[in-house]
Coordinates of all heavy atoms in Angstrom, one line a residue:
V170 N 44.9 -92.5 103.3 CA 44.2 -91.3 102.9 C 43.0 -91.6 102.1 O 42.9 -92.8 101.6 CB 45.1 -90.3 102.1 CG1 46.3 -89.8 102.9 CG2 45.6 -91.0 100.8
N171 N 42.1 -90.7 101.9 CA 40.9 -90.9 101.1 C 41.3 -91.0 99.6 O 41.8 -90.0 99.1 CB 39.9 -89.7 101.3 CG 39.5 -89.7 102.7 OD1 39.3 -90.7 103.4 ND2 39.3 -88.5 103.2
V172 N 41.0 -92.0 99.0 CA 41.4 -92.2 97.6 C 40.3 -91.7 96.7 O 39.1 -91.8 96.9 CB 41.6 -93.7 97.3 CG1 42.0 -93.9 95.8 CG2 42.6 -94.3 98.2
A173 N 40.7 -90.9 95.7 CA 39.8 -90.3 94.7 C 39.0 -91.4 94.0 O 39.5 -92.4 93.5 CB 40.5 -89.5 93.7
Q174 N 37.7 -91.2 94.0 CA 36.8 -92.2 93.4 C 36.2 -91.6 92.1 O 36.1 -90.4 92.0 CB 35.6 -92.6 94.3 CG 36.1 -93.2 95.6 CD 36.7 -94.6 95.4 OE1 36.3 -95.3 94.6 NE2 37.7 -94.9 96.3
P175 N 35.8 -92.5 91.1 CA 35.1 -91.9 90.0 C 33.8 -91.2 90.4 O 33.1 -91.7 91.3 CB 34.7 -93.1 89.1 CG 35.7 -94.2 89.6 CD 36.0 -93.9 91.1
V176 N 33.6 -90.0 89.9 CA 32.5 -89.2 90.3 C 31.4 -89.2 89.2 O 31.7 -88.9 88.1 CB 32.9 -87.8 90.7 CG1 31.8 -86.9 91.0 CG2 33.9 -87.9 91.8
R177 N 30.2 -89.4 89.6 CA 29.0 -89.2 88.7 C 28.4 -87.8 89.0 O 27.8 -87.6 90.1 CB 28.0 -90.3 88.9 CG 26.8 -90.2 87.9 CD 26.0 -91.4 88.0 NE 24.9 -91.4 87.1 CZ 23.7 -90.8 87.3 NH1 23.5 -90.2 88.4 NH2 22.8 -90.8 86.3
F178 N 28.6 -86.9 88.1 CA 28.1 -85.5 88.3 C 26.6 -85.5 88.3 O 26.0 -86.0 87.4 CB 28.7 -84.5 87.4 CG 30.2 -84.6 87.3 CD1 30.9 -85.1 86.2 CD2 30.9 -84.1 88.4 CE1 32.3 -85.1 86.2 CE2 32.3 -84.1 88.4 CZ 33.0 -84.6 87.3
S179 N 26.0 -85.0 89.4 CA 24.6 -85.2 89.6 C 23.7 -84.1 89.1 O 22.6 -84.3 88.9 CB 24.3 -85.3 91.1 OG 24.7 -84.2 91.8
R180 N 24.3 -82.9 88.8 CA 23.5 -81.9 88.3 C 24.2 -81.0 87.3 O 25.4 -80.6 87.4 CB 23.1 -81.0 89.5 CG 22.2 -81.6 90.5 CD 20.7 -81.3 90.1 NE 20.4 -79.9 90.5 CZ 20.3 -79.4 91.7 NH1 20.5 -80.2 92.7 NH2 20.1 -78.2 91.9
K181 N 23.5 -80.6 86.2 CA 24.0 -79.7 85.2 C 23.1 -78.5 85.1 O 23.3 -77.7 84.2 CB 24.1 -80.5 83.9 CG 25.1 -81.7 83.9 CD 25.1 -82.4 82.6 CE 26.0 -83.6 82.7 NZ 26.0 -84.4 81.5
C182 N 22.2 -78.4 86.0 CA 21.3 -77.2 86.0 C 21.2 -76.6 87.3 O 21.4 -77.3 88.4 CB 19.9 -77.6 85.5 SG 19.8 -78.4 83.9
P183 N 21.0 -75.3 87.4 CA 20.7 -74.7 88.8 C 19.5 -75.3 89.5 O 18.6 -76.0 88.8 CB 20.5 -73.3 88.5 CG 21.1 -73.1 87.1 CD 20.9 -74.4 86.4
T184 N 19.4 -75.1 90.8 CA 18.2 -75.6 91.5 C 16.9 -75.1 90.9 O 16.8 -73.9 90.6 CB 18.3 -75.2 93.0 OG1 19.5 -75.8 93.6 CG2 17.1 -75.6 93.8
G185 N 15.9 -76.0 90.8 CA 14.6 -75.6 90.2 C 14.5 -75.8 88.8 O 13.4 -75.7 88.2
W186 N 15.6 -76.2 88.1 CA 15.6 -76.4 86.7 C 15.7 -77.9 86.4 O 16.3 -78.7 87.2 CB 16.8 -75.8 86.0 CG 16.7 -74.3 86.0 CD1 16.9 -73.5 87.1 CD2 16.4 -73.4 84.9 NE1 16.8 -72.1 86.7 CE2 16.5 -72.1 85.4 CE3 16.1 -73.6 83.6 CZ2 16.3 -70.9 84.6 CZ3 15.9 -72.5 82.8 CH2 16.0 -71.2 83.3
H187 N 15.1 -78.4 85.3 CA 15.1 -79.9 85.0 C 16.0 -80.0 83.8 O 15.9 -79.3 82.8 CB 13.7 -80.3 84.6 CG 12.7 -80.3 85.7 ND1 12.0 -81.4 86.1 CD2 12.3 -79.3 86.5 CE1 11.2 -81.0 87.2 NE2 11.3 -79.8 87.4
H188 N 16.9 -81.0 83.8 CA 17.9 -81.3 82.8 C 17.4 -82.4 81.8 O 16.9 -83.4 82.2 CB 19.2 -81.7 83.4 CG 20.3 -82.0 82.4 ND1 20.7 -83.2 82.1 CD2 21.0 -81.1 81.6 CE1 21.7 -83.1 81.2 NE2 21.9 -81.9 80.9
Y189 N 17.6 -82.1 80.5 CA 17.3 -83.1 79.5 C 18.6 -83.3 78.7 O 19.1 -82.4 78.0 CB 16.2 -82.6 78.6 CG 15.8 -83.5 77.5 CD1 15.6 -84.9 77.7 CD2 15.8 -83.1 76.1 CE1 15.3 -85.8 76.6 CE2 15.5 -83.9 75.1 CZ 15.3 -85.3 75.4 OH 15.0 -86.1 74.3
E190 N 19.0 -84.6 78.7 CA 20.3 -85.0 78.1 C 20.3 -84.8 76.6 O 21.2 -84.5 75.9 CB 20.7 -86.4 78.5 CG 22.1 -86.8 78.2 CD 23.0 -86.1 79.2 OE1 22.8 -86.1 80.4 OE2 24.1 -85.5 78.7
G191 N 19.0 -85.1 76.1 CA 18.9 -85.1 74.6 C 19.2 -83.8 73.9 O 19.7 -83.7 72.8
T192 N 19.0 -82.7 74.7 CA 19.3 -81.3 74.1 C 20.3 -80.6 74.9 O 20.7 -79.4 74.6 CB 18.0 -80.4 74.0 OG1 17.5 -80.4 75.3 CG2 17.0 -81.1 73.1
A193 N 20.9 -81.3 75.9 CA 21.8 -80.6 76.8 C 21.3 -79.2 77.3 O 22.0 -78.2 77.3 CB 23.2 -80.4 76.2
S194 N 20.0 -79.3 77.7 CA 19.4 -78.0 78.1 C 18.7 -78.2 79.5 O 18.5 -79.3 80.0 CB 18.3 -77.7 77.1 OG 18.9 -77.4 75.8
C195 N 18.4 -77.0 80.0 CA 17.7 -77.0 81.4 C 16.4 -76.2 81.2 O 16.3 -75.3 80.3 CB 18.6 -76.1 82.3 SG 20.2 -76.8 82.6
Y196 N 15.3 -76.6 81.9 CA 14.0 -76.1 81.7 C 13.4 -75.7 83.1 O 13.6 -76.4 84.0 CB 13.1 -77.1 81.0 CG 13.6 -77.7 79.7 CD1 14.6 -78.7 79.7 CD2 13.2 -77.2 78.5 CE1 15.1 -79.2 78.6 CE2 13.7 -77.7 77.3 CZ 14.6 -78.7 77.4 OH 15.2 -79.2 76.2
R197 N 12.7 -74.6 83.1 CA 12.0 -74.2 84.3 C 10.7 -73.5 84.1 O 10.6 -72.7 83.1 CB 12.9 -73.3 85.1 CG 12.3 -72.8 86.4 CD 13.2 -72.0 87.3 NE 12.6 -71.5 88.5 CZ 13.2 -70.8 89.4 NH1 14.4 -70.5 89.3 NH2 12.5 -70.4 90.5
V198 N 9.7 -73.9 84.8 CA 8.4 -73.2 84.7 C 8.3 -72.1 85.8 O 8.7 -72.3 86.9 CB 7.2 -74.2 85.0 CG1 5.9 -73.4 85.2 CG2 7.1 -75.1 83.7
Y199 N 8.0 -70.9 85.3 CA 7.8 -69.7 86.2 C 6.3 -69.6 86.4 O 5.5 -69.5 85.4 CB 8.4 -68.5 85.7 CG 9.9 -68.5 85.9 CD1 10.7 -69.2 84.9 CD2 10.5 -67.8 86.9 CE1 12.1 -69.2 85.1 CE2 11.9 -67.8 87.1 CZ 12.7 -68.4 86.2 OH 14.0 -68.4 86.3
L200 N 5.8 -69.5 87.7 CA 4.4 -69.5 88.0 C 3.9 -68.1 88.0 O 2.6 -67.9 87.9 CB 4.2 -70.2 89.3 CG 4.6 -71.7 89.4 CD1 4.5 -72.2 90.8 CD2 3.8 -72.4 88.4
N201 N 4.7 -67.1 88.2 CA 4.2 -65.7 88.4 C 3.6 -65.3 87.0 O 4.3 -65.4 86.0 CB 5.3 -64.8 88.8 CG 6.6 -65.0 88.0 OD1 7.0 -66.1 87.9 ND2 7.2 -63.9 87.5
G202 N 2.3 -65.0 87.0 CA 1.6 -64.8 85.7 C 2.1 -63.5 85.1 O 2.1 -62.4 85.7
E203 N 2.6 -63.6 83.9 CA 3.1 -62.5 83.2 C 2.6 -62.5 81.7 O 2.4 -63.6 81.2 CB 4.7 -62.5 83.1 CG 5.3 -62.3 84.5 CD 6.8 -62.1 84.5 OE1 7.4 -62.1 83.4 OE2 7.4 -62.0 85.6
N204 N 2.5 -61.3 81.1 CA 2.2 -61.4 79.7 C 3.4 -61.9 78.9 O 4.5 -62.0 79.4 CB 1.7 -60.0 79.2 CG 2.8 -58.9 79.1 OD1 3.9 -59.2 78.7 ND2 2.4 -57.7 79.6
Y205 N 3.2 -62.2 77.6 CA 4.2 -62.8 76.8 C 5.5 -62.0 76.8 O 6.7 -62.5 77.0 CB 3.7 -63.0 75.4 CG 4.6 -63.8 74.5 CD1 4.4 -65.2 74.5 CD2 5.6 -63.3 73.7 CE1 5.1 -66.1 73.7 CE2 6.4 -64.2 72.9 CZ 6.2 -65.5 72.9 OH 6.9 -66.3 72.1
W206 N 5.4 -60.7 76.6 CA 6.6 -59.8 76.5 C 7.4 -59.8 77.8 O 8.6 -59.8 77.8 CB 6.2 -58.4 76.0 CG 5.3 -58.5 74.9 CD1 4.0 -58.1 74.9 CD2 5.4 -59.0 73.6 NE1 3.3 -58.3 73.7 CE2 4.2 -58.9 72.9 CE3 6.5 -59.7 73.0 CZ2 4.1 -59.3 71.6 CZ3 6.3 -60.1 71.6 CH2 5.1 -59.9 71.0

């Protein structure tokens, strides 16, 4: 049978977001021009 292998999890953010390990956070730029509020 297929033996379970150690897994390296590849993503901690949804698609389109960039992950930074130092803050355990995800970041995304939205291009649609909006005012601050």
Side-chain angles (χ1 to χ4, degrees):
V170 295
N171 298 322
V172 179
Q174 300 293 328
V176 175
R177 184 174 182 272
F178 302 112
S179 58
R180 291 267 288 288
K181 297 174 182 177
C182 299
T184 297
W186 295 72
H187 294 237
H188 181 254
Y189 176 53
E190 196 72 49
T192 58
S194 298
C195 306
Y196 307 81
R197 180 175 177 178
V198 166
Y199 283 81
L200 299 173
N201 43 315
E203 296 185 2
N204 69 43
Y205 192 87
W206 316 114

